[in-house]
Amino acid sequence: MTAHDVDPQEVARLYQQEGMSTRRIAARVGVSHTAVHRLLKREQVERRPVGGVAGLQVSEGRRQELMEAYQAGMPLHDMRAAFRASDKTIKKVAQDAGLPARERGGPRVHDWDQIEQLHLQGWPAPAIAELLHAGEGHVRHILREQGYGRDVVELPDAETLKGLYAELGSVAKAAARLGAARDRVRDALVAAGVEIRARAPKPAPGRPLPDGETLLRLYGELRSVAAVAAELRIDRERIRDGLVAVGWTPGRPPVPTRVGRPLPDADTLKGLYAELGSVAKVAQRLRVSRDRVGDALADAQA
């Protein structure tokens, strides 16, 4: 659709009566917002200030819906999403209608009996808060005041508690068995003279390192310990230790290797070693790992 196919009077109506922005109008009629600007100018429609004014872009119908939602206690963040209005606009509409300003943090719910009944019916605190447009913390506070805290169960005597801890082996399991908070169970055990065993740290999950030649090949391709560690998803220190174990020297440039490359015969190998003077130089010439060269030379001299 082009701007020539759009009814300019409809654009003006959406802008003036519905309070829509030029971008929303453009999305509605299927043209660019620049075209909407031109149509409004052609119709000599008085433009609103950039950014709009609180309450100015709200039609009478939307104003009524905003007031009803505000009176029903809908949270401001839900109203922003539902009506595409700013906090300033919502509060201006409420103020113009003579509605009382909300307390900071949202409306407070004082119908304690309703909250109690919902709790007794099995509704969790988050669901009650959602239903009543209240804060979850506020609902939990009311339930605690009514005696519905988390720890309504009575803990057993000290000997029974110690026996349960000895049987299950952890405060968490004992608390789960009793339906009580861990802190209460822990405090009761300490008061009974039980020494709480420290939890053994969980072993860090570790991926197995590849073999030495693969590690050297990756290092030769990626050119840094950090890159190899990222590729294998293994800690850098483990990569560094693995490379050192196969003869790599930190700070030296990587030597590309070929996995499975055959070594020359023993005499050729000894001749290369005599010519170059070190295992590292022979390994670099042959593009194999130092360990393989060293092992082959040791076998040749045995």
Side-chain angles (χ1 to χ4, degrees):
M1 180 180 292
T2 65
H4 298 289
D5 302 321
V6 178
D7 182 2
Q9 294 182 354
E10 174 65 11
V11 171
R13 186 190 69 81
L14 292 173
Y15 185 80
Q16 291 178 310
Q17 298 180 21
E18 296 294 329
M20 295 175 65
S21 68
T22 55
R23 292 186 181 276
R24 290 187 64 196
I25 296 172
R28 170 78 69 86
V29 301
V31 297
S32 68
H33 74 280
T34 306
V36 172
H37 280 285
R38 287 198 298 268
L39 289 169
L40 290 173
K41 185 175 181 180
R42 186 189 309 167
E43 292 296 308
Q44 298 182 344
V45 174
E46 184 178 355
R47 299 294 307 281
R48 294 189 291 266
V50 176
V53 178
L56 184 62
Q57 300 184 32
V58 182
S59 64
E60 190 57 39
R62 286 171 60 79
R63 184 182 296 272
Q64 186 62 35
E65 292 174 357
L66 273 169
M67 288 189 296
E68 291 174 357
Y70 189 92
Q71 287 176 306
M74 179 183 287
L76 286 180
H77 63 85
D78 290 342
M79 293 180 69
R80 287 198 302 269
F83 297 101
R84 293 180 177 272
S86 66
D87 285 353
K88 187 176 180 181
T89 297
I90 295 169
K91 291 175 182 177
K92 181 68 166 56
V93 169
Q95 182 181 356
D96 292 345
L99 300 177
R102 289 181 178 177
E103 298 179 29
R104 184 166 182 163
R108 293 297 181 188
V109 178
H110 300 290
D111 192 349
W112 289 33
D113 291 338
Q114 184 182 12
I115 291 177
E116 182 179 21
Q117 289 300 317
L118 290 170
H119 176 71
L120 293 175
Q121 292 171 18
W123 285 59
I128 297 174
E130 181 72 21
L131 178 68
L132 300 179
H133 301 294
E136 182 182 337
H138 182 57
V139 172
R140 291 190 185 278
H141 169 73
I142 291 176
L143 290 173
R144 284 195 299 270
E145 291 293 320
Q146 293 175 323
Y148 296 106
R150 294 181 178 179
D151 292 311
V152 295
V153 297
E154 184 178 353
L155 294 179
D157 59 84
E159 293 302 321
T160 304
L161 199 58
K162 288 193 286 187
L164 190 62
Y165 179 68
E167 173 193 346
L168 300 176
S170 77
V171 174
K173 291 179 180 178
R177 173 75 64 86
L178 296 171
R182 297 184 190 182
D183 288 343
R184 270 190 78 203
V185 174
R186 180 184 296 277
D187 292 344
L189 286 167
V190 171
V194 177
E195 184 179 351
I196 305 299
R197 296 186 294 271
R199 290 189 301 175
K202 294 182 179 179
R207 293 169 174 262
L209 282 174
D211 61 85
E213 290 193 3
T214 303
L215 207 54
L216 283 170
R217 177 180 58 80
L218 282 172
Y219 181 72
E221 293 173 357
L222 302 176
R223 315 285 297 182
S224 78
V225 173
V228 176
E231 176 73 17
L232 298 176
R233 297 182 183 179
I234 296 175
D235 183 76
R236 294 186 189 183
E237 293 303 320
R238 289 185 61 206
I239 297 294
R240 184 181 296 275
D241 293 344
L243 286 167
V244 170
V246 294
W248 172 74
T249 303
R252 299 190 67 176
V255 178
T257 64
R258 297 182 183 178
V259 178
R261 183 183 178 90
L263 291 174
D265 59 79
D267 291 336
T268 304
L269 201 58
K270 287 192 287 185
L272 279 173
Y273 181 69
E275 174 190 346
L276 300 174
S278 75
V279 172
K281 291 181 179 179
V282 174
Q284 186 173 14
R285 172 75 64 85
L286 297 175
R287 296 189 178 185
V288 297
S289 71
R290 298 182 190 180
D291 285 347
R292 287 186 65 200
V293 173
D295 292 342
L297 285 170
D299 290 342
Q301 294 171 359

